[in-house]
């Protein structure tokens, strides 16, 4: 595997490409150029496989932190979501994490919350299908992200954006005690 990475790095350097072994994205971007010009598809495929292997063997500091296991029973999932919504002043169900959103709508809501200075908790719905479907049933809202403030459903990206622009979101966050007092 080290030999493959070294060969890939050497080929990229010869072609003026940047290759980062830690992320499949840059290697994948370089793959067509390398495959067609020099290395051939076998080297690229094995390099991509090696890179993906590195990503899955991440350091424990970067693993998902679960506070409780996700129940298998749909009623228990609903109870868990209800507890999360009520236990946190601001709860965001999103695709990805605030540090690494996996959808533009989730990213937009995270940016809005950061712009307000609100502290919030989040759940990555991509990690468990029962939570992803459960939160849709809980709110009777078909899309993700979903924002809850003070135990109440605010809405998805469009509604949160509109509330932010009108100043209503700041009011909701202040009423819930999620903003620092000025």
């Amino acid at each position: 595997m080290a030999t493959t990475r070294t060969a890939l790095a050497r080929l990229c350097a010869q072609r003026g490409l940047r290759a980062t072994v830690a992320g499949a994205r840059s290697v994948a971007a370089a793959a067509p150029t390398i495959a067609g010009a020099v290395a051939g598809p076998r080297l690229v495929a094995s390099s991509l496989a090696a890179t993906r292997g590195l990503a899955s063997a991440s350091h424990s500091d970067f693993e998902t932190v679960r506070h409780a296991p996700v129940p298998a029973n749909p009623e228990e999932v609903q109870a868990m979501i209800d507890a999360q919504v009520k236990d946190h002043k601001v709860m965001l169900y999103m695709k990805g994490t605030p540090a690494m959103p996996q959808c533009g709508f989730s990213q937009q809501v995270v940016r809005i919350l950061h712009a307000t200075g609100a502290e919030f908790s989040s759940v990555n719905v991509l990690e468990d299908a029962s939570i992803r479907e459960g939160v849709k049933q809980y709110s009777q809202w078909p899309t993700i992200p979903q924002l809850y403030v003070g135990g109440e459903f605010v809405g998805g990206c469009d509604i949160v954006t509109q509330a932010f622009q009108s100043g209503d979101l700041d009011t909701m966050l202040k009423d819930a005690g999620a903003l620092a007092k000025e």
Side-chain angles (χ1 to χ4, degrees), residues 48-178:
L48 290 173
T51 304
R52 287 189 192 105
L54 287 173
S56 65
S58 183
H59 190 274
S60 63
D61 287 349
F62 300 103
E63 291 177 359
T64 300
V65 176
R66 293 192 189 270
H67 298 284
V70 178
N73 182 332
E75 290 81 24
E76 292 175 2
V77 170
Q78 291 295 309
M80 182 185 75
I81 292 169
D82 187 56
Q84 290 172 337
V85 166
K86 290 178 179 172
D87 291 346
H88 300 278
K89 293 176 183 176
V90 181
M91 174 58 78
L92 175 62
Y93 291 90
M94 63 180 290
K95 293 179 181 177
T97 64
M100 183 71 78
Q102 297 296 306
C103 135
F105 299 115
S106 293
Q107 182 179 33
Q108 172 74 6
V109 174
V110 167
R111 285 180 176 170
I112 288 170
L113 290 172
H114 284 157
T116 64
E119 292 184 17
F120 64 100
S121 298
S122 67
V123 173
N124 180 359
V125 300
L126 297 177
E127 291 183 353
D128 195 288
S130 62
I131 293 176
R132 184 171 51 253
E133 294 308 313
V135 75
K136 292 176 185 180
Q137 292 171 355
Y138 181 80
S139 64
Q140 297 179 345
W141 190 260
T143 60
I144 305 292
Q146 294 185 12
L147 181 65
Y148 295 81
V149 176
E152 298 293 323
F153 178 60
V154 175
C157 181
D158 291 344
I159 294 170
V160 172
T161 301
Q162 185 178 28
F164 174 68
Q165 291 171 344
S166 71
D168 292 341
L169 183 61
D170 281 336
T171 303
M172 284 185 254
L173 294 168
K174 285 177 185 172
D175 290 348

